């Protein structure tokens, strides 16, 4: 694996998305809706690029602050609500 830049925010959003979805048991969980929710949340959050070296991301940037976690949770919840109310595909 080569050295590359990676947006940690994608991992944070994915992680919180799984948690938030448990509060929306009726929501469509197809790939399209999951991708839509993730994209919506990421568009409203700052990117957090880090470089990895041989696959190891520097540990110090992996943890997010409490404020950041609340921010991410809020954006992810709003994104899920939006997609649940208006999915991009027909039922
Ligand atoms: Zn769907």
């Amino acid at each position: 694996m080569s050295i590359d830049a990676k947006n940690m925010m994608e991992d944070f959003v994915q992680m919180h998305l799984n948690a938030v979805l448990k509060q929306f048991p009726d929501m469509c969980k197809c790939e399209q809706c999951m991708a839509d929710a993730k994209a919506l949340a990421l568009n409203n959050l700052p990117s957090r690029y880090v470089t990895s070296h041989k696959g190891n991301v520097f540990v110090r940037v992996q943890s997010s602050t409490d404020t950041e976690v609340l921010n991410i949770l809020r954006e992810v919840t709003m994104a899920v609500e939006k997609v649940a109310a208006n999915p991009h595909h027909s039922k």
Side-chain angles (χ1 to χ4, degrees):
M1 204 174 148
S2 58
I3 299 171
D4 201 2
K6 174 185 167 64
N7 186 3
M8 286 305 295
M9 196 52 85
E10 288 185 23
D11 284 1
F12 294 151
V13 165
Q14 184 65 60
M15 194 173 77
H16 291 295
L17 184 60
N18 294 335
V20 167
L21 282 173
K22 292 192 180 125
Q23 299 164 37
F24 293 83
D26 296 335
M27 185 186 169
C28 174
K29 309 271 198 315
C30 78
E31 260 179 45
Q32 176 73 62
C33 290
M34 294 300 93
D36 284 345
K38 199 173 166 183
L40 271 174
L42 280 170
N43 279 340
N44 288 326
L45 288 161
S47 42
R48 185 60 53 92
Y49 279 95
V50 294
T51 53
S52 60
H53 181 62
K54 292 180 179 171
N56 294 317
V57 174
F58 296 125
V59 175
R60 104 192 128 73
V61 286
Q62 274 185 320
S63 57
S64 44
T65 64
D66 285 354
T67 316
E68 204 170 34
V69 167
L70 286 176
N71 209 16
I72 296 167
L73 267 176
R74 196 188 61 220
E75 293 300 339
V76 169
T77 304
M78 273 171 24
V80 167
E81 280 173 350
K82 222 177 216 177
V83 172
N86 190 17
H88 279 175
H89 57 73
S90 50
K91 299 213 164 177

